[in-house]
Amino acid sequence: MFDNEGFAKPWLEFEEEVGGRLLLHGSISEILAGYEKVGVTLASTLTFPTPDQSVTTKDVTIRPGLKVRIYTPQCYEGGKPVCVFYHGGGWAMGDLEGEDIQLRTVCRDAGIVIVSVDYRLAPQHPYPAPFDDCIFAYDWAIENAAMLNTTPGAALTFGTSAGGNLALSVALKVIDEGRGQTLRGVVSVVPVTVAPDSVPEKWRGSYTSYEEHAEHTINTKSAMESFFDAYGGQGDDPYVSPLLHKRLKDIPRVYLAVAGQDTLRDDGRLLRRALDDAGQYLGYPHWFWAFPSKHLTEPIAEYDRNLKRGFDFVVASESEARGTMRLSMI
């Protein structure tokens, strides 16, 4: 019997629909096998939407072994910064296909060009290889503004889960290298922000979600431990744990989404505390928006609306934007 305390009713109805709670455990190989089984379950019980064909895509190899997918909205006229996207998957899973449907929605609703990065994966390519690929792709997107029809010298980073970590870390690396003027901001969705063993002493009492939600979400405590082991970065490295970076507040604008039933809930809450503002999606676990269940129609629609507002905020000109932080939590 699962512990249902704190979960939103639509999520519990979704779990009943798919036959139980979706959880991943064990080594990376066991997690990959488990994820395949999750995919079979979802495909047999849910009807996934077809990709939005109003958004055009083009796959480009930008250096040997590194491919990106470019998303362009219908009737796009230019004049907006390029958005560089990093997928989720614990630095060890994911590709250009896994979040394609969601990226088409973002591209259409936000009216921006997105460059999705197929970075190398751990453990075959441990840190800093995935991070290096993400930085290279950011630079490529800036250098190819004319081809992309985006604002010259302007970009934002966007990522989900481990990709949210990479979006923050790439932004901080760009700032550290003296190129912060190119960075418009960051959209970071349910991100990893700190290695559990490296949480600052002053915040350790507030970092409890790994224990509270160890078995509540697809990225269980044991899965997160395996992901960190596979990634291989040191927890006190500020590009592995961006919460520790001394220039975090130099990121111009941040939109942050946090799930209340997630092992990573407190990663987001502590980032909120470090940036002095935030908001949250109570009652839902990691990646809830990716499951097209009839029971989740409203929370997914709310997530999409909030994400669009987040992009509008990050992309806005200096005269249009107010503040440096927006947060939604479910």
Side-chain angles (χ1 to χ4, degrees):
M1 188 71 178
F2 290 117
D3 170 16
N4 294 335
E5 183 178 355
F7 280 94
K9 184 173 181 287
W11 181 261
L12 295 176
E13 292 171 341
F14 161 72
E15 289 187 336
E16 184 176 353
E17 180 183 18
V18 298
R21 187 154 296 163
L22 306 177
L23 305 173
L24 297 175
H25 297 97
S27 66
I28 292 298
S29 61
E30 291 169 329
I31 288 170
L32 290 171
Y35 194 65
E36 286 188 13
K37 291 180 181 178
V38 167
V40 171
T41 297
L42 297 177
S44 66
T45 55
L46 303 179
T47 301
F48 284 81
T50 57
D52 187 339
Q53 297 303 316
S54 73
V55 174
T56 61
T57 63
K58 181 180 180 181
D59 290 0
V60 178
T61 298
I62 61 175
R63 73 175 179 189
L66 181 56
K67 184 186 293 185
V68 300
R69 177 169 295 167
I70 302 166
Y71 294 80
T72 305
Q74 190 174 40
C75 302
Y76 177 70
E77 297 180 355
K80 291 186 177 181
V82 63
C83 172
V84 187
F85 174 76
Y86 310 116
H87 64 74
W91 306 286
M93 307 188 317
D95 53 28
L96 294 179
E97 304 302 331
E99 297 177 61
D100 177 76
I101 289 175
Q102 289 86 2
L103 286 183
R104 289 172 183 269
T105 299
V106 172
C107 176
R108 180 197 67 208
D109 291 350
I112 56 173
V113 172
I114 300 175
V115 175
S116 177
V117 184
D118 195 17
Y119 58 85
R120 288 171 290 175
L121 299 177
Q124 292 84 357
H125 303 283
Y127 179 83
F131 181 51
D132 290 344
D133 285 350
C134 293
I135 296 167
F136 185 91
Y138 179 96
D139 293 341
W140 180 90
I142 289 287
E143 292 165 2
N144 286 274
M147 182 267 285
L148 298 169
N149 194 21
T150 55
T151 303
L156 61 140
T157 61
F158 169 34
T160 54
S161 192
N165 167 277
L166 291 165
L168 289 162
S169 297
V170 168
L172 291 163
K173 182 69 170 178
V174 168
I175 290 169
D176 284 343
E177 291 181 345
R179 298 182 290 122
Q181 75 280 0
T182 67
L183 179 68
R184 190 64 64 86
V186 177
V187 175
S188 190
V189 176
V190 293
V192 181
T193 68
V194 64
D197 292 342
S198 298
V199 175
E201 180 67 34
K202 63 180 178 179
W203 287 335
R204 284 182 187 171
S206 302
Y207 195 79
T208 59
S209 55
Y210 265 67
E211 300 301 329
E212 290 177 22
H213 301 303
E215 294 294 311
H216 283 173
T217 183
I218 194 164
N219 55 320
T220 61
K221 177 184 177 183
S222 72
M224 288 306 307
E225 290 170 346
S226 293
F227 288 143
F228 268 109
D229 287 345
Y231 194 38
Q234 296 298 309
D236 59 358
D237 182 329
Y239 299 130
V240 173
S241 297
L243 180 71
L244 307 180
H245 199 287
K246 296 185 183 302
R247 300 189 67 183
L248 192 60
K249 290 188 177 182
D250 287 349
I251 299 176
R253 299 172 193 155
V254 177
Y255 173 79
L256 174 65
V258 177
Q261 298 293 103
D262 190 355
T263 45
L264 299 179
R265 180 199 67 194
D266 293 340
D267 284 62
R269 287 182 173 179
L270 292 187
L271 183 67
R272 167 194 178 179
R273 193 174 296 183
L275 292 169
D276 298 326
D277 202 355
Q280 128 177 252
Y281 292 101
L282 298 173
Y284 292 88
H286 202 72
W287 224 256
F288 71 90
W289 64 87
F291 306 112
S293 165
K294 62 185 179 182
H295 303 293
L296 299 177
T297 300
E298 283 306 312
I300 290 172
E302 180 184 357
Y303 167 83
D304 287 341
R305 288 192 298 270
N306 287 339
L307 191 61
K308 180 186 182 302
R309 294 189 190 105
F311 273 95
D312 290 345
F313 164 69
V314 172
V315 172
S317 66
E318 291 294 335
S319 61
E320 294 172 323
R322 294 181 179 180
T324 60
M325 177 75 181
R326 291 290 186 276
L327 172 71
S328 63
M329 301 180 76
I330 288 184

